[in-house]
Amino acid sequence: MTKDQNQMWGGRFAAGPDAIMEAINASIGFDQRMAAQDIAGSRAHAAMLGAVGIISDTDADAIREGLLTVLSEIEAGTFQFSTALEDIHMNVEARLKDLIGEPAGRLHTARSRNDQVATDFKLWVRDQMDAAITGIDALMKAFLDQAKAGADWVMPGFTHLQTAQPVTWGHHMLAYVEMLARDKSRFEDARARMNTSPLGAAALAGTGFAIDRHMTAKALGFDRPAANSLDAVSDRDFALDFLGAASICAMHLSRFAEELVIWSSAQFRFVTLSDRFSTGSSIMPQKKNPDAAELIRAKVARVMGANVALMMVMKGLPLTYSKDMQEDKEQVFDAADNLMLALAAMTGMVSDMTANRDSLHAAASSGFSTATDLADWLVRELGMPFRDAHHVTGSLVAMAEAKSCELSDLSLEQMQSVHKGITDGVYDVLTVENSVASRLSYGGTSPTRVREQIAAWEKVL
């Protein structure tokens, strides 16, 4: 470590850390990802220092221009990051000093690395929230396109992965639009809640310099400065909010990924995935593996793991800043990367997949999926209490099972042997098309309701 680099520590330290301390203390290996945010925060800070007269306009302008040069070097890949300089803040400041000399030393007036890193990290997480919202919008549109294509296609609805009642393909696709809309709202809520600026809180107590925190907050797109300096430098709720929303979103992606794995199997054949999101087998030429869906299904573990890890980092920390908090970023970086990759891959799969309408219809027609419609008919037409109707329907299902046929294949005489009041009008409710058409309650699977929801979502999106 050079003498100049050692002076970054200040006069308190006569010797630099040894190699082990340097390795455990340095964060430049990962926090360099926040370079753009760090430079944006420093440029806003320098402009404010100049505007209120803490530093000269000449120095403020030199700092701001020099920082743009540093940013251009980082973006071009020519910037030399140094582990000895610990983090992105010191790396940028050292290079700024190389470029403009003495004025660089005035940049850190009235701030600390504590409020600086909190600001940088907030800006980075805010950008990731915006990216997640954009990615969710794209996936919602892909699901909506699928819903439009098959608004009246009949498929089985499942409980316990057992055939329950017929539903429409469009209705099933819209279920994921609803889930994703909640994910989007969580990110939007978290973004609004986090949008206060830590800059100017300094180390923990604020500063004696007459700074204008509202000016820097506005310059960086924050709604206002954070109101308590202790909280400002120690708060990582915004990162936990991001990870919480990301975990729920990843869980939703995993649920559909699981359905794709099942649906694309030879036993189901509900969908055909495109070659772009499938792989073959090294030994079995007939195989087409839904690897992208399987990997998305696994990504939720990494995102949720990051959420738990950061919660454990923060749970025992007294106010205000502790070096433990350096462990916040890698968790969030990894979760953000994996969430965005999963969103992009899922959007591609949903856009490219082909629903096999005949297979969906055949599956919907099997497994006595219209049994509930039969019970409802008994209640509606014969005035039977539902519990009695449930019993009669169960007896008819048992009869059909014994004869290896569907309910609609039972003769009227066979049905009347269970309950003499049944008429041939019962056959009107035993087709899957009539079953889904009858589900006209708000939020139901009727093609009429599905098309209404599609129209509503098209206005939103």
Side-chain angles (χ1 to χ4, degrees), residues 48-105:
M48 180 275 294
L49 292 177
V52 300
I54 293 174
I55 66 175
S56 69
D57 289 340
T58 301
D59 284 352
D61 290 343
I63 290 169
R64 285 168 56 77
E65 289 302 313
L67 287 169
L68 287 180
T69 301
V70 175
L71 180 61
S72 67
E73 291 176 353
I74 293 172
E75 290 176 340
T78 60
F79 188 94
Q80 296 297 311
F81 292 102
S82 168
T83 303
L85 289 172
E86 296 184 32
D87 55 32
I88 186 62
H89 325 299
M90 290 302 194
N91 271 264
V92 169
E93 188 174 327
R95 179 57 181 149
L96 181 65
K97 185 176 182 181
D98 292 341
L99 291 170
I100 69 171
E102 182 187 23

Side-chain angles (χ1 to χ4, degrees), residues 294-310:
E294 292 169 354
L295 289 167
I296 289 172
R297 188 172 58 185
K299 292 295 185 188
V300 67
R302 294 179 65 163
V303 178
M304 288 185 175
N307 193 16
V308 173
L310 183 53

Side-chain angles (χ1 to χ4, degrees), residues 115 178 241 256 284 299 306:
D115 64 332
E178 294 286 339
D241 270 349
F256 191 65
M284 296 167 284
K299 292 295 185 188

Side-chain angles (χ1 to χ4, degrees), residues 179-230:
M179 290 185 210
L180 289 164
R182 294 194 296 274
D183 293 326
K184 180 180 176 181
S185 71
R186 271 183 281 270
F187 282 114
E188 290 172 337
D189 289 347
R191 192 193 192 286
R193 186 164 44 254
M194 72 171 285
N195 209 32
T196 60
S197 173
L199 194 57
L204 74 162
T207 177
F209 290 95
I211 61 173
D212 185 347
R213 294 189 63 208
H214 290 276
M215 178 180 174
T216 51
K218 182 178 180 181
L220 295 171
F222 290 110
D223 295 331
R224 58 179 176 81
N228 183 288
S229 61
L230 298 173

Side-chain angles (χ1 to χ4, degrees), residues 223-242:
D223 295 331
R224 58 179 176 81
N228 183 288
S229 61
L230 298 173
D231 180 56
V233 298
S234 63
D235 168 39
R236 292 299 183 270
D237 288 2
F238 61 91
L240 290 166
D241 270 349
F242 173 78

